Coordinates of all heavy atoms in Angstrom, one line a residue:
M112 N 0.8 -1.2 0.0 CA 0.0 0.0 0.0 C 0.9 1.2 0.0 O 1.8 1.4 0.8 CB -0.9 0.0 1.2 CG -1.9 1.1 1.3 SD -3.0 0.8 2.7 CE -3.6 2.4 2.9
K113 N 0.6 2.2 -0.9 CA 1.4 3.4 -1.0 C 1.0 4.4 0.1 O -0.2 4.6 0.4 CB 1.1 4.0 -2.4 CG 2.0 5.2 -2.7 CD 1.8 5.6 -4.1 CE 2.6 6.9 -4.4 NZ 2.5 7.3 -5.7
P114 N 2.0 5.0 0.8 CA 1.7 5.9 1.9 C 1.0 7.2 1.3 O 1.3 7.6 0.2 CB 3.0 6.2 2.5 CG 4.0 5.9 1.5 CD 3.4 4.8 0.6
D115 N 0.2 7.8 2.1 CA -0.4 9.1 1.7 C 0.6 10.2 2.0 O 0.7 10.8 3.1 CB -1.7 9.3 2.5 CG -2.4 10.6 2.2 OD1 -1.9 11.4 1.4 OD2 -3.5 10.9 2.8
S116 N 1.4 10.5 1.0 CA 2.6 11.4 1.2 C 2.1 12.8 1.6 O 2.8 13.5 2.3 CB 3.5 11.5 0.0 OG 2.8 11.9 -1.2
E117 N 1.0 13.3 1.1 CA 0.5 14.7 1.4 C 0.1 14.7 2.9 O 0.4 15.6 3.6 CB -0.6 15.1 0.5 CG -1.1 16.5 0.9 CD -0.1 17.6 0.8 OE1 1.0 17.4 0.2 OE2 -0.3 18.7 1.3
N118 N -0.6 13.7 3.4 CA -0.9 13.6 4.8 C 0.3 13.6 5.7 O 0.4 14.2 6.7 CB -1.8 12.4 5.1 CG -2.3 12.3 6.5 OD1 -2.6 13.3 7.1 ND2 -2.3 11.1 7.0
I119 N 1.3 12.8 5.3 CA 2.5 12.7 6.0 C 3.2 14.0 6.0 O 3.7 14.5 7.0 CB 3.4 11.5 5.5 CG1 2.8 10.2 5.7 CG2 4.8 11.6 6.1 CD1 3.5 9.0 5.0
R120 N 3.3 14.7 4.9 CA 3.9 16.0 4.8 C 3.3 17.0 5.7 O 3.9 17.7 6.4 CB 3.9 16.5 3.3 CG 4.7 17.8 3.2 CD 4.4 18.6 1.9 NE 3.0 19.1 2.0 CZ 2.6 20.2 2.6 NH1 3.5 20.9 3.3 NH2 1.4 20.6 2.6
L121 N 1.9 17.0 5.8 CA 1.2 17.9 6.6 C 1.5 17.6 8.1 O 1.7 18.6 8.9 CB -0.3 17.9 6.4 CG -0.7 18.4 5.0 CD1 -2.2 18.1 4.8 CD2 -0.5 19.9 5.0
R122 N 1.6 16.4 8.5 CA 1.9 16.0 9.8 C 3.4 16.4 10.2 O 3.6 16.9 11.3 CB 1.7 14.5 10.1 CG 0.2 14.1 10.0 CD 0.0 12.6 10.0 NE 0.3 12.1 11.3 CZ 0.4 10.8 11.5 NH1 0.1 9.9 10.6 NH2 0.7 10.3 12.7
V123 N 4.3 16.2 9.3 CA 5.7 16.6 9.5 C 5.7 18.2 9.6 O 6.3 18.7 10.6 CB 6.6 16.2 8.3 CG1 7.9 16.9 8.3 CG2 6.8 14.7 8.3
Q124 N 5.0 18.9 8.8 CA 5.0 20.4 8.9 C 4.4 20.8 10.2 O 5.0 21.8 10.8 CB 4.2 21.0 7.7 CG 4.4 22.5 7.7 CD 5.8 22.9 7.5 OE1 6.5 22.5 6.6 NE2 6.3 23.8 8.4
T125 N 3.4 20.2 10.7 CA 2.8 20.6 12.0 C 3.9 20.4 13.1 O 4.1 21.2 14.0 CB 1.6 19.7 12.3 OG1 0.6 20.0 11.4 CG2 1.0 20.0 13.7
T126 N 4.7 19.3 13.0 CA 5.7 19.1 14.0 C 6.8 20.1 13.9 O 7.3 20.6 14.9 CB 6.3 17.6 13.9 OG1 5.2 16.7 14.0 CG2 7.3 17.3 14.9
L127 N 7.2 20.4 12.6 CA 8.2 21.5 12.4 C 7.8 22.8 13.0 O 8.6 23.5 13.6 CB 8.5 21.6 10.9 CG 9.2 20.4 10.2 CD1 9.2 20.6 8.7 CD2 10.6 20.3 10.8
D128 N 6.5 23.1 12.8 CA 6.0 24.4 13.3 C 6.0 24.4 14.8 O 6.4 25.4 15.5 CB 4.6 24.6 12.8 CG 4.5 24.9 11.3 OD1 5.5 25.2 10.7 OD2 3.4 24.8 10.8
D129 N 5.7 23.3 15.5 CA 5.8 23.1 16.9 C 7.2 23.3 17.4 O 7.4 24.1 18.4 CB 5.3 21.8 17.4 CG 3.8 21.6 17.2 OD1 3.1 22.6 17.0 OD2 3.3 20.4 17.3
L130 N 8.2 22.7 16.7 CA 9.6 22.9 17.1 C 10.0 24.3 17.0 O 10.8 24.8 17.8 CB 10.5 21.9 16.3 CG 10.3 20.4 16.6 CD1 11.0 19.7 15.5 CD2 10.9 20.1 17.9
N131 N 9.6 25.0 15.9 CA 9.9 26.4 15.8 C 9.3 27.2 16.9 O 10.0 28.1 17.4 CB 9.5 26.8 14.4 CG 10.0 28.2 14.0 OD1 11.2 28.5 14.1 ND2 9.1 29.1 13.7
R132 N 8.1 27.0 17.2 CA 7.4 27.8 18.2 C 8.0 27.6 19.6 O 8.1 28.5 20.4 CB 5.9 27.3 18.3 CG 4.9 28.4 18.2 CD 3.5 28.0 18.3 NE 3.1 26.6 18.0 CZ 2.8 26.1 16.8 NH1 2.9 26.8 15.8 NH2 2.5 24.8 16.7
E133 N 8.5 26.3 19.8 CA 9.2 26.0 21.1 C 10.7 26.5 21.1 O 11.4 26.2 22.0 CB 9.1 24.5 21.3 CG 7.7 24.0 21.5 CD 7.6 22.5 21.4 OE1 8.6 21.8 21.7 OE2 6.5 22.0 21.1
H134 N 11.1 27.1 20.0 CA 12.5 27.5 19.9 C 13.5 26.4 20.0 O 14.6 26.6 20.5 CB 12.8 28.7 20.9 CG 11.9 29.8 20.8 ND1 11.9 30.7 19.7 CD2 10.9 30.2 21.6 CE1 11.0 31.6 19.9 NE2 10.3 31.3 21.0
L135 N 13.2 25.2 19.5 CA 14.0 24.1 19.5 C 14.8 23.9 18.2 O 15.7 23.1 18.1 CB 13.3 22.8 19.8 CG 12.6 22.8 21.2 CD1 11.8 21.5 21.4 CD2 13.7 22.8 22.3
I136 N 14.4 24.6 17.2 CA 15.2 24.7 15.9 C 15.5 26.1 15.6 O 14.7 27.0 16.0 CB 14.4 24.0 14.7 CG1 13.0 24.6 14.5 CG2 14.3 22.5 15.0 CD1 12.3 24.0 13.3
P137 N 16.6 26.4 15.0 CA 17.1 27.8 14.9 C 16.4 28.6 13.8 O 16.6 29.8 13.8 CB 18.6 27.6 14.5 CG 18.7 26.3 13.9 CD 17.6 25.4 14.5
F138 N 15.6 28.0 13.0 CA 14.9 28.8 11.9 C 13.7 28.0 11.4 O 13.6 26.8 11.6 CB 15.8 29.2 10.8 CG 16.7 28.1 10.3 CD1 16.2 27.1 9.5 CD2 18.0 28.0 10.8 CE1 17.1 26.0 9.1 CE2 18.8 26.9 10.4 CZ 18.4 26.0 9.6
K139 N 12.8 28.6 10.8 CA 11.6 28.0 10.3 C 12.0 27.1 9.1 O 12.7 27.5 8.2 CB 10.5 29.0 9.8 CG 9.2 28.4 9.3 CD 8.2 29.4 9.2 CE 6.9 28.8 8.6 NZ 6.4 27.6 9.2
L140 N 11.4 25.9 9.1 CA 11.6 24.9 8.0 C 10.3 24.6 7.4 O 9.3 24.5 8.1 CB 12.3 23.6 8.5 CG 13.8 23.8 9.0 CD1 14.2 22.6 9.7 CD2 14.7 24.0 7.8
T141 N 10.3 24.4 6.1 CA 9.1 24.1 5.4 C 9.3 22.7 4.6 O 10.2 22.6 3.8 CB 8.7 25.2 4.3 OG1 8.5 26.4 5.1 CG2 7.4 24.8 3.6
A142 N 8.5 21.8 5.0 CA 8.5 20.5 4.3 C 7.9 20.6 2.9 O 6.7 21.0 2.8 CB 7.8 19.4 5.1
H143 N 8.6 20.4 1.9 CA 8.1 20.6 0.5 C 7.6 19.3 -0.1 O 7.2 19.2 -1.3 CB 9.2 21.2 -0.4 CG 9.4 22.6 0.0 ND1 8.5 23.6 -0.5 CD2 10.3 23.3 0.7 CE1 8.9 24.8 0.0 NE2 10.0 24.6 0.7
G144 N 7.7 18.2 0.7 CA 7.2 16.9 0.2 C 7.7 15.8 1.1 O 8.5 16.1 2.0
V145 N 7.4 14.6 0.7 CA 7.9 13.4 1.4 C 8.1 12.3 0.4 O 7.2 12.1 -0.4 CB 6.9 12.9 2.5 CG1 7.3 11.6 3.1 CG2 6.7 14.0 3.6
T146 N 9.2 11.7 0.5 CA 9.5 10.6 -0.4 C 9.7 9.3 0.4 O 10.4 9.4 1.4 CB 10.8 10.9 -1.2 OG1 10.7 12.1 -1.9 CG2 11.1 9.8 -2.2
A147 N 9.0 8.3 0.0 CA 9.2 7.0 0.7 C 10.5 6.4 0.2 O 10.7 6.3 -1.1 CB 8.0 6.1 0.4
D148 N 11.4 6.0 1.1 CA 12.7 5.4 0.7 C 12.7 4.0 1.3 O 13.5 3.7 2.2 CB 13.8 6.3 1.3 CG 15.1 5.9 0.8 OD1 15.2 5.3 -0.3 OD2 16.1 6.1 1.6
G149 N 11.8 3.2 0.9 CA 11.6 1.8 1.4 C 10.5 1.8 2.4 O 9.9 2.9 2.8
P150 N 10.1 0.6 2.8 CA 8.9 0.5 3.7 C 9.2 1.2 5.1 O 10.1 0.9 5.8 CB 8.8 -1.0 3.9 CG 9.6 -1.6 2.8 CD 10.6 -0.7 2.4
G151 N 8.4 2.2 5.4 CA 8.5 2.9 6.6 C 9.6 3.9 6.7 O 9.8 4.5 7.8
N152 N 10.4 4.1 5.7 CA 11.5 5.1 5.7 C 11.1 6.3 4.8 O 10.7 6.1 3.6 CB 12.8 4.4 5.1 CG 13.2 3.3 6.0 OD1 13.2 3.4 7.3 ND2 13.6 2.2 5.5
Y153 N 11.3 7.5 5.3 CA 10.9 8.7 4.6 C 12.0 9.7 4.5 O 12.8 9.8 5.4 CB 9.7 9.3 5.2 CG 8.5 8.3 5.3 CD1 8.3 7.6 6.5 CD2 7.7 8.1 4.3 CE1 7.3 6.6 6.5 CE2 6.6 7.2 4.3 CZ 6.4 6.5 5.5 OH 5.4 5.6 5.5
V154 N 12.0 10.5 3.5 CA 13.0 11.6 3.3 C 12.1 12.8 3.1 O 11.2 12.8 2.2 CB 13.9 11.4 2.1 CG1 14.8 12.6 1.9 CG2 14.8 10.2 2.3
V155 N 12.4 13.9 3.8 CA 11.6 15.1 3.7 C 12.6 16.2 3.3 O 13.5 16.6 4.0 CB 11.0 15.6 5.1 CG1 10.3 16.9 5.0 CG2 10.1 14.5 5.6
P156 N 12.4 16.7 2.0 CA 13.3 17.8 1.5 C 12.9 19.2 2.0 O 11.7 19.5 2.1 CB 13.2 17.6 0.0 CG 11.8 17.1 -0.2 CD 11.5 16.3 1.0
F157 N 13.9 20.0 2.2 CA 13.7 21.4 2.5 C 14.4 22.2 1.3 O 15.5 21.7 0.9 CB 14.3 21.9 3.8 CG 13.8 21.1 5.0 CD1 14.7 20.4 5.7 CD2 12.5 21.1 5.3 CE1 14.3 19.7 6.9 CE2 12.1 20.4 6.5 CZ 13.0 19.7 7.2
Y158 N 13.9 23.3 0.9 CA 14.6 24.1 -0.1 C 15.3 25.2 0.7 O 15.0 26.3 0.7 CB 13.7 24.6 -1.1 CG 13.0 23.6 -1.9 CD1 11.6 23.5 -2.1 CD2 13.7 22.5 -2.5 CE1 11.0 22.5 -2.8 CE2 13.1 21.5 -3.2 CZ 11.8 21.5 -3.3 OH 11.1 20.5 -4.0
D159 N 16.3 24.7 1.5 CA 17.0 25.6 2.4 C 18.5 25.2 2.4 O 18.8 24.0 2.5 CB 16.5 25.4 3.8 CG 17.0 26.4 4.8 OD1 18.2 26.5 5.0 OD2 16.1 27.2 5.3
S160 N 19.4 26.1 2.2 CA 20.8 25.8 2.1 C 21.4 25.4 3.4 O 22.5 24.7 3.4 CB 21.6 27.0 1.6 OG 21.5 28.1 2.5
R161 N 20.8 25.6 4.5 CA 21.4 25.3 5.8 C 21.1 23.8 6.2 O 21.9 23.1 6.7 CB 20.8 26.2 6.9 CG 21.2 27.7 6.7 CD 20.3 28.6 7.5 NE 18.9 28.5 6.9 CZ 18.0 29.4 7.3 NH1 18.2 30.3 8.1 NH2 16.8 29.3 6.7
I162 N 19.9 23.3 5.8 CA 19.5 21.9 6.0 C 18.7 21.5 4.8 O 17.7 22.1 4.5 CB 18.6 21.8 7.3 CG1 19.4 22.1 8.6 CG2 18.1 20.3 7.4 CD1 18.6 22.0 9.8
H163 N 19.3 20.6 4.0 CA 18.6 20.2 2.8 C 17.5 19.2 3.0 O 16.5 19.3 2.2 CB 19.7 19.6 1.9 CG 20.8 20.5 1.5 ND1 20.7 21.5 0.5 CD2 22.0 20.6 2.0 CE1 21.8 22.2 0.5 NE2 22.6 21.7 1.3
S164 N 17.6 18.4 4.0 CA 16.6 17.4 4.2 C 16.8 16.6 5.5 O 17.8 16.9 6.2 CB 16.6 16.3 3.0 OG 17.8 15.6 3.1
F165 N 15.9 15.8 5.9 CA 16.1 14.9 7.0 C 15.3 13.6 6.7 O 14.5 13.6 5.8 CB 15.7 15.5 8.3 CG 14.2 15.4 8.6 CD1 13.7 14.4 9.4 CD2 13.3 16.4 8.1 CE1 12.3 14.4 9.7 CE2 12.0 16.3 8.3 CZ 11.4 15.3 9.2
E166 N 15.7 12.5 7.3 CA 15.2 11.2 7.1 C 14.6 10.7 8.4 O 15.1 11.0 9.5 CB 16.2 10.2 6.6 CG 16.9 10.6 5.3 CD 18.0 9.7 4.9 OE1 18.0 8.5 5.4 OE2 18.8 10.1 4.1
F167 N 13.6 9.9 8.3 CA 13.0 9.2 9.5 C 12.4 7.9 9.1 O 12.0 7.7 8.0 CB 12.1 10.1 10.3 CG 10.7 10.4 9.6 CD1 9.6 9.7 9.9 CD2 10.6 11.4 8.6 CE1 8.4 9.9 9.2 CE2 9.4 11.7 8.0 CZ 8.3 10.9 8.3
S168 N 12.3 7.0 10.1 CA 11.7 5.7 9.9 C 10.5 5.6 10.9 O 10.7 5.9 12.1 CB 12.6 4.6 10.2 OG 13.7 4.6 9.3
W169 N 9.4 5.2 10.4 CA 8.2 5.1 11.2 C 7.2 4.2 10.6 O 7.0 4.2 9.4 CB 7.5 6.5 11.4 CG 6.3 6.4 12.2 CD1 6.2 6.3 13.6 CD2 4.9 6.4 11.8 NE1 4.9 6.3 14.0 CE2 4.1 6.4 12.9 CE3 4.4 6.5 10.5 CZ2 2.7 6.3 12.8 CZ3 3.0 6.5 10.4 CH2 2.2 6.4 11.5
K170 N 6.6 3.3 11.4 CA 5.6 2.4 10.9 C 4.4 2.6 11.8 O 4.5 2.6 13.1 CB 6.0 1.0 11.0 CG 7.1 0.7 9.9 CD 7.5 -0.7 9.8 CE 8.5 -0.8 8.7 NZ 9.5 -1.6 8.7
D171 N 3.2 2.7 11.2 CA 2.0 2.8 12.0 C 1.9 1.7 13.0 O 2.1 0.5 12.6 CB 0.8 2.9 11.1 CG -0.5 3.5 11.7 OD1 -0.4 4.1 12.8 OD2 -1.5 3.3 11.1
G172 N 1.5 2.0 14.2 CA 1.4 1.0 15.3 C 2.7 0.7 16.0 O 2.8 -0.2 16.8
G173 N 3.8 1.5 15.7 CA 5.1 1.2 16.3 C 5.1 1.7 17.7 O 4.1 2.2 18.3
K174 N 6.2 1.5 18.4 CA 6.4 1.9 19.8 C 6.3 3.4 20.0 O 5.7 3.9 21.0 CB 7.7 1.4 20.3 CG 7.9 0.0 20.4 CD 9.3 -0.4 20.9 CE 9.5 -1.9 20.8 NZ 10.8 -2.3 21.2
S175 N 6.9 4.2 19.1 CA 6.9 5.7 19.3 C 5.8 6.3 18.4 O 5.5 5.8 17.3 CB 8.2 6.2 18.9 OG 9.2 5.7 19.7
S176 N 5.3 7.4 18.8 CA 4.3 8.1 18.0 C 5.0 8.8 16.8 O 6.2 9.0 16.8 CB 3.6 9.2 18.8 OG 4.4 10.3 19.1
F177 N 4.2 9.1 15.8 CA 4.7 9.8 14.6 C 5.5 11.0 15.0 O 6.6 11.3 14.6 CB 3.6 10.0 13.6 CG 4.0 10.7 12.4 CD1 4.4 10.0 11.3 CD2 4.0 12.1 12.2 CE1 4.8 10.6 10.1 CE2 4.4 12.7 11.1 CZ 4.8 12.0 10.0
K178 N 4.8 11.8 15.8 CA 5.3 13.1 16.2 C 6.7 13.0 16.9 O 7.6 13.7 16.7 CB 4.3 13.9 17.1 CG 4.7 15.3 17.4 CD 3.6 16.0 18.0 CE 3.9 17.5 18.1 NZ 2.7 18.3 18.4
E179 N 6.8 12.0 17.8 CA 8.0 11.8 18.6 C 9.2 11.4 17.6 O 10.3 11.9 17.8 CB 7.8 10.6 19.6 CG 7.0 11.0 20.8 CD 6.6 9.8 21.6 OE1 6.8 8.7 21.2 OE2 6.1 10.0 22.8
V180 N 8.9 10.6 16.7 CA 9.9 10.1 15.7 C 10.4 11.3 14.9 O 11.6 11.5 14.7 CB 9.3 9.0 14.8 CG1 10.2 8.7 13.6 CG2 9.1 7.7 15.6
V181 N 9.4 12.1 14.4 CA 9.8 13.2 13.5 C 10.6 14.3 14.4 O 11.6 14.8 13.9 CB 8.6 13.9 12.9 CG1 8.9 15.2 12.2 CG2 8.0 12.9 11.9
R182 N 10.1 14.6 15.6 CA 10.8 15.5 16.4 C 12.3 15.1 16.7 O 13.2 15.9 16.5 CB 10.1 15.7 17.8 CG 8.9 16.5 17.8 CD 8.2 16.5 19.2 NE 9.0 17.2 20.1 CZ 8.8 18.5 20.4 NH1 7.9 19.2 19.9 NH2 9.6 19.1 21.4
S183 N 12.4 13.8 17.0 CA 13.8 13.3 17.3 C 14.7 13.4 16.0 O 15.8 13.8 16.1 CB 13.7 11.9 17.7 OG 14.9 11.3 17.9
A184 N 14.1 13.0 14.9 CA 14.9 13.1 13.6 C 15.3 14.5 13.3 O 16.4 14.7 12.9 CB 14.1 12.4 12.5
V185 N 14.4 15.4 13.4 CA 14.7 16.8 13.1 C 15.8 17.4 14.1 O 16.7 18.0 13.6 CB 13.4 17.7 13.1 CG1 13.8 19.2 13.0 CG2 12.5 17.3 12.0
L186 N 15.6 17.1 15.3 CA 16.5 17.6 16.3 C 17.9 17.0 16.1 O 18.9 17.8 16.2 CB 16.0 17.4 17.7 CG 14.8 18.2 18.1 CD1 14.3 17.7 19.5 CD2 15.0 19.7 18.1
K187 N 18.0 15.8 15.8 CA 19.3 15.2 15.5 C 19.9 15.8 14.2 O 21.1 16.1 14.2 CB 19.2 13.7 15.2 CG 19.0 12.9 16.5 CD 18.8 11.4 16.2 CE 18.5 10.7 17.5 NZ 18.2 9.3 17.3
R188 N 19.1 16.1 13.2 CA 19.6 16.7 12.0 C 20.1 18.1 12.3 O 21.1 18.5 11.7 CB 18.5 16.7 10.9 CG 18.9 17.3 9.6 CD 20.1 16.6 9.0 NE 20.6 17.3 7.8 CZ 21.6 18.2 7.8 NH1 22.2 18.5 9.0 NH2 21.9 18.7 6.7
V189 N 19.4 18.9 13.1 CA 19.8 20.2 13.4 C 21.2 20.2 14.2 O 22.0 21.0 14.0 CB 18.7 21.0 14.2 CG1 19.2 22.2 14.9 CG2 17.5 21.3 13.4
Q190 N 21.3 19.2 15.0 CA 22.6 19.1 15.8 C 23.8 18.9 14.8 O 24.9 19.2 15.2 CB 22.5 17.9 16.8 CG 21.7 18.2 18.0 CD 21.6 17.0 18.9 OE1 21.9 15.9 18.5 NE2 21.0 17.3 20.1
L191 N 23.5 18.3 13.6 CA 24.6 18.1 12.7 C 25.1 19.3 11.9 O 26.1 19.3 11.2 CB 24.2 17.0 11.7 CG 24.0 15.6 12.2 CD1 23.4 14.7 11.1 CD2 25.3 15.1 12.8
M192 N 24.4 20.4 12.1 CA 24.8 21.7 11.5 C 26.1 22.1 12.0 O 26.4 21.8 13.2 CB 23.8 22.8 11.8 CG 22.4 22.6 11.1 SD 21.2 23.9 11.6 CE 22.1 25.3 11.0
T193 N 27.0 22.7 11.2 CA 28.3 23.0 11.6 C 28.3 24.1 12.7 O 29.1 24.1 13.6 CB 29.2 23.5 10.4 OG1 28.5 24.6 9.8 CG2 29.4 22.4 9.5
A194 N 27.4 25.0 12.6 CA 27.2 26.1 13.6 C 25.8 26.7 13.5 O 25.3 26.8 12.5 CB 28.3 27.2 13.4
P195 N 25.2 26.9 14.7 CA 23.9 27.5 14.7 C 24.0 29.0 14.2 O 25.0 29.6 14.2 CB 23.5 27.5 16.1 CG 24.7 27.4 16.9 CD 25.7 26.7 16.0
P196 N 22.9 29.5 13.6 CA 22.9 30.9 13.2 C 23.2 31.8 14.3 O 22.9 31.5 15.5 CB 21.4 31.1 12.7 CG 20.9 29.7 12.4 CD 21.6 28.8 13.3
K197 N 23.8 32.9 14.0 CA 24.2 33.9 15.1 C 23.1 34.4 15.9 O 23.3 34.7 17.1 CB 25.0 35.1 14.4 CG 26.3 34.7 13.8 CD 26.9 35.8 13.1 CE 28.1 35.3 12.3 NZ 28.8 36.4 11.6
D198 N 21.9 34.6 15.3 CA 20.8 35.2 16.1 C 19.9 34.2 16.8 O 18.8 34.5 17.3 CB 19.9 36.1 15.1 CG 19.4 35.3 14.0 OD1 19.8 34.1 13.7 OD2 18.5 35.8 13.3
W199 N 20.3 32.9 16.9 CA 19.5 31.9 17.5 C 19.9 31.7 18.9 O 21.1 31.6 19.2 CB 19.6 30.6 16.7 CG 18.7 29.5 17.2 CD1 17.3 29.6 17.3 CD2 19.0 28.3 17.8 NE1 16.8 28.5 17.8 CE2 17.8 27.6 18.1 CE3 20.2 27.6 18.0 CZ2 17.8 26.4 18.7 CZ3 20.1 26.3 18.5 CH2 18.9 25.7 18.9
H200 N 19.0 31.5 19.8 CA 19.3 31.3 21.2 C 19.1 29.9 21.5 O 18.2 29.3 21.4 CB 18.3 32.1 22.2 CG 17.8 33.3 21.6 ND1 18.5 34.5 21.6 CD2 16.6 33.6 21.0 CE1 17.7 35.5 21.1 NE2 16.6 34.9 20.7

């Protein structure tokens, strides 16, 4: 069964907006789509030179909620940045 990529993208964007509101990421990110990269594996591209994309794995009915998995993946990806922006606290 093919995943509903638009629904997943919207759920990812809601989580990104929450992280931004909570000041846990240094700048607003916009999910421009979701690509399935195997069963339960997803890549979310950003059109941003600071962070190009992030990946996460999630299967419906798994131990962790969708939101928890996405939050964790985004926060790990942000930690990989070489340096946070100067105006970020």
Side-chain angles (χ1 to χ4, degrees):
M112 184 173 162
K113 188 175 178 180
D115 180 358
S116 60
E117 181 59 16
N118 181 40
I119 294 171
R120 187 197 67 77
L121 291 171
R122 292 172 69 189
V123 166
Q124 188 59 54
T125 299
T126 304
L127 291 169
D128 293 343
D129 290 346
L130 289 168
N131 188 52
R132 234 182 340 272
E133 296 167 24
H134 304 288
L135 295 175
I136 55 176
F138 43 82
K139 183 169 177 48
L140 290 167
T141 302
H143 288 281
V145 174
T146 303
D148 187 27
N152 297 315
Y153 303 94
V154 177
V155 179
F157 305 119
Y158 300 126
D159 191 298
S160 62
R161 299 162 290 192
I162 296 179
H163 299 280
S164 64
F165 80 100
E166 299 176 23
F167 68 98
S168 296
W169 179 80
K170 293 187 175 145
D171 199 12
K174 295 178 188 176
S175 299
S176 73
F177 181 86
K178 188 171 192 166
E179 289 170 346
V180 168
V181 170
R182 283 177 69 95
S183 177
V185 171
L186 293 173
K187 284 179 186 174
R188 179 61 187 92
V189 167
Q190 288 176 347
L191 294 175
M192 292 176 58
T193 54
K197 294 178 186 176
D198 59 346
W199 186 59
H200 331 277

